[in-house]
Amino acid sequence: MNQPSDKLMSLKDAIERFVADRAHISIGGFTINRNPMAAVYEIIRQKKRNLHLYAHSNGQAVDELVGGGCVSRLEIAYAGSGRFAPTCIRFRKAVEQGRLQVEDYSNYQMTLRFMAGAMGVPFLPCRSGLATDIANTWGFPASLRQSDPKLPDHKLVVTENPFGTWCDTTKVVLVPAIVPDVTILHVQEADSHGLVRIEGLTFADIEQAKAARRLIVTCEKLVETGRLKQRPDANQLPPFCVDAVVHVPWGAYPTACYRHYDYDPVFLNRYKQEAAGDESYRQYLEDWIFSHKDHKAMMDSIDKDRLASITADGRTGYASGLERR
Amino acid sequence: MPDYTLKEMMAIAAAREIKDGDIVFCGTGISMLAAMAAKHISAPDSTIFFETGAIDSLLEEVPLAVADPRVMYYTAVNGSLADAFAFMQNRRTGAHVVGIMGAAQIDPYGNLNSTVIGDYHHPRVRFSGSGGACDVASFVDRTIIFMQQQKRKFVPRLDYLTSPGWLGGDDSRTAAGLAAGGPAAVITNMAVFRFDDKTRRMYLDAVYPGIDPRQVLDQMGFEVDTDRAQTFQPPTKRELEILRTECDPQRLILG
């Protein structure tokens, strides 16, 4: 019997193959949870440049991609890492120093934009943002929009409800679809053909995945073909959405991966300090990212007891009692 | 009178705004604590939900972000962002949602800025951005706003309008096409403000014990009516005990 194609590859190969300089990329996860960190570190290691990044509410991954010098344009709703960095640190510096062009949306707008991409429609309507600067102030000038065929001509469009006052609504905000060149997700389980299972909250990962031209999935556990099909209602993405499957244990570290491990408060607190200064950040990039050849080497460098302390317990799916100060 | 910190006072003040039947949208930090406190103290039949899609989580430990794996444990539903925001704006649930939020700047009509200080294109200070704040402020009937009482935060005019409040007052909010409800209360480290039913302008509703309305005004960049100001009822022993032992025993947020 014919088998579907095997998409298993190394992270190095997946990033080399699917993430080009100037690519429009989107990354899954939310603030300090299930960010595709191994892939982010590989992008930084390969010195990708001038990426156009789409995110809704991302924290650590956005900050490291910006800090690593990979991103020149960002469309985003929120850049923060919870209590560890209420505003992402390298992101903040880059914007204040004029090194990063940003366009702000709300979280729901970004979600709908990915959904529109996934549905293959040019825009979706919402009631969010009327009379705000999100609607009235553009981050990217019209000239930039016209020069890049991957960008729509308008940030968004506010218009009368074409159905009159149907649903007690007089005005709507139309937000344009996002079609990333590539989306990168980290998930709990996948098989080598690209059948994907996410546990816990899916955030907007599914919409981001379906909107993209290419999809890289890194997975905590690589499972045998057929096993995920025993519980199909727990799966989210069929293999035909997926271009690369990469097995990367601890692939979301230092962010959390529900039922596998918690975020690492020690790492995130230290990052906060190291990211605060340009020189200390250069040192951080060297010591943590460039001096390790891959994610496994990075994880091997971390104290085993520390990793044990953030390992999720079977009852709650996180590391209960973890010291998080 | 029991000893309490201002953070505890703020959390309890917000918790008292929450009623049984409310569906509470909260962010991280003190807003999450207020929602947890309400559920433990006065509104056991309220439901906490997060923009990440987690509904009715069993919060055994304080989450440090709305995507903290702690919000995913023992939920009714682990949904998605699309689900969460749809609950805020659909006709059945939208009217029951209370949003708790914070910001870097607030104006006299409860409009909020959580994006930049200075020019948007060349900001002096860049913040995280809207997240779901603009969405919840656009859709729901009632929002509760946490602020630090500082002149640079209570400004006559925002540098950037991230989340719509009562816009320019009177009926300007509905005229713009936004949902009819809006900001209900502003809770600071000194006082509680509300909004006039007609003009929709902020007024001083209550000051914390030992604080004079004049001191509050000194920490504001615009004038507000203080004629209606009363003294706020401080937290009770029971409220404080539950807040400290049930909600944040590690004092991760209370400090």
Side-chain angles (χ1 to χ4, degrees), chain A residues 147-220:
Chain A
S147 70
D148 188 340
K150 289 181 186 171
L151 293 178
D153 287 349
H154 301 272
K155 179 185 181 186
L156 46 70
V157 174
V158 177
T159 186
E160 301 293 315
N161 179 356
F163 292 87
T165 56
W166 179 238
C167 281
D168 301 325
T169 300
T170 53
K171 287 179 189 158
V172 286
V173 179
L174 312 181
V175 291
I178 294 173
V179 183
D181 293 320
V182 58
T183 286
I184 307 173
L185 304 181
H186 183 71
V187 306
Q188 278 85 354
E189 295 182 46
D191 71 19
S192 63
H193 310 297
L195 180 54
V196 167
R197 177 174 299 173
I198 297 173
E199 293 181 88
L201 295 168
T202 54
F203 309 124
D205 283 14
I206 313 303
E207 290 85 356
Q208 289 178 262
K210 291 176 180 171
R213 295 176 203 280
R214 298 286 184 187
L215 177 60
I216 299 173
V217 170
T218 63
C219 60
E220 211 51 50

Side-chain angles (χ1 to χ4, degrees), chain A residues 94-267:
Chain A
V95 178
E96 289 173 4
Q97 293 167 2
R99 287 183 283 113
L100 180 66
Q101 272 188 297
V102 183
E103 186 139 276
D104 278 273
Y105 290 89
S106 75
N107 233 348
Y108 191 43
Q109 289 173 341
M110 287 305 285
T111 305
L112 292 178
R113 296 184 66 201
F114 288 121
M115 192 184 283
M119 292 168 67
V121 296
F123 60 84
L124 281 172
C126 65
R127 297 190 296 140
S128 182
L130 288 163
T132 66
D133 279 313
I134 289 177
N136 297 332
T137 306
W138 290 14
F140 304 153
S143 55
L144 171 66
R145 298 185 163 283
Q146 272 147 20
S147 70
D148 188 340
K150 289 181 186 171
L151 293 178
D153 287 349
H154 301 272
K155 179 185 181 186
L156 46 70
V157 174
V158 177
T159 186
E160 301 293 315
N161 179 356
F163 292 87
T165 56
W166 179 238
C167 281
D168 301 325
T169 300
T170 53
K171 287 179 189 158
V172 286
V173 179
L174 312 181
V175 291
I178 294 173
V179 183
D181 293 320
V182 58
T183 286
I184 307 173
L185 304 181
H186 183 71
V187 306
Q188 278 85 354
E189 295 182 46
D191 71 19
S192 63
H193 310 297
L195 180 54
V196 167
R197 177 174 299 173
I198 297 173
E199 293 181 88
L201 295 168
T202 54
F203 309 124
D205 283 14
I206 313 303
E207 290 85 356
Q208 289 178 262
K210 291 176 180 171
R213 295 176 203 280
R214 298 286 184 187
L215 177 60
I216 299 173
V217 170
T218 63
C219 60
E220 211 51 50
K221 272 171 74 179
L222 185 69
V223 299
E224 275 173 52
T225 301
R227 224 205 70 198
L228 296 177
K229 293 182 83 172
Q230 289 167 8
R231 258 180 69 216
D233 20 338
N235 304 334
Q236 284 86 12
L237 292 167
F240 59 66
C241 288
V242 178
D243 295 280
V245 177
V246 187
H247 182 212
V248 193
W250 298 96
Y253 180 90
T255 71
C257 186
Y258 187 56
R259 293 199 188 287
H260 289 263
Y261 45 90
D262 222 315
Y263 44 83
D264 184 355
V266 175
F267 183 101

Side-chain angles (χ1 to χ4, degrees), chain B residues 55-244:
Chain B
I55 298 165
D56 203 17
S57 320
L58 181 60
L59 298 172
E60 287 188 352
E61 296 184 6
V62 176
L64 297 185
V66 294
D68 191 308
R70 281 153 192 78
V71 308
M72 302 181 191
Y73 173 60
Y74 206 78
T75 57
V77 176
N78 270 339
S80 67
L81 269 64
D83 295 331
F85 290 112
F87 284 127
M88 291 178 203
Q89 65 172 337
N90 78 44
R91 294 309 185 272
R92 182 187 171 112
T93 50
H96 299 286
V97 176
V98 181
I100 314 182
M101 45 212 297
Q105 287 182 328
I106 185 167
D107 75 8
Y109 296 99
N111 303 300
L112 303 177
N113 172 11
S114 51
T115 306
V116 291
I117 300 293
D119 176 63
Y120 180 67
H121 297 278
H122 308 281
R124 265 185 292 124
V125 185
R126 170 71 211 200
F127 296 109
S128 58
S130 160
C134 171
D135 303 308
V136 71
S138 296
F139 301 148
V140 312
D141 265 10
R142 205 151 41 101
T143 54
I144 299 164
I145 301 158
F146 276 118
M147 293 296 299
Q148 285 296 315
Q149 190 78 56
Q150 292 173 2
K151 208 168 211 154
R152 64 192 175 97
K153 291 177 181 276
F154 282 74
V155 295
R157 210 185 150 74
L158 304 176
D159 290 12
Y160 182 100
L161 199 166
T162 312
S163 305
W166 297 109
L167 297 182
D170 298 317
D171 64 350
S172 57
R173 184 177 160 95
T174 39
L178 291 160
V186 181
I187 294 168
T188 79
N189 46 319
M190 297 176 90
V192 175
F193 301 85
R194 295 187 190 278
F195 296 86
D196 186 83
D197 284 343
K198 196 179 168 305
T199 66
R200 302 302 191 186
R201 193 180 159 97
M202 190 187 293
Y203 67 87
L204 187 62
D205 180 64
V207 288
Y208 296 157
I211 290 173
D212 185 88
R214 197 65 248 170
Q215 290 173 277
V216 180
L217 288 180
D218 285 346
Q219 300 298 325
M220 299 180 75
F222 54 86
E223 289 287 319
V224 291
D225 172 21
T226 58
D227 291 349
R228 289 172 259 188
Q230 301 173 335
T231 300
F232 194 80
Q233 203 63 40
T236 65
K237 204 169 158 238
R238 178 170 170 268
E239 284 174 324
L240 284 171
E241 192 178 306
I242 292 174
L243 183 67
R244 290 168 185 169

Side-chain angles (χ1 to χ4, degrees), chain A residues 283-300:
Chain A
Q283 196 62 45
Y284 162 84
L285 289 172
E286 192 51 46
D287 294 348
W288 172 237
I289 303 175
F290 293 118
S291 77
H292 294 114
K293 72 173 180 18
D294 59 17
H295 202 66
K296 182 170 186 311
M298 294 170 101
M299 296 312 298
D300 286 345

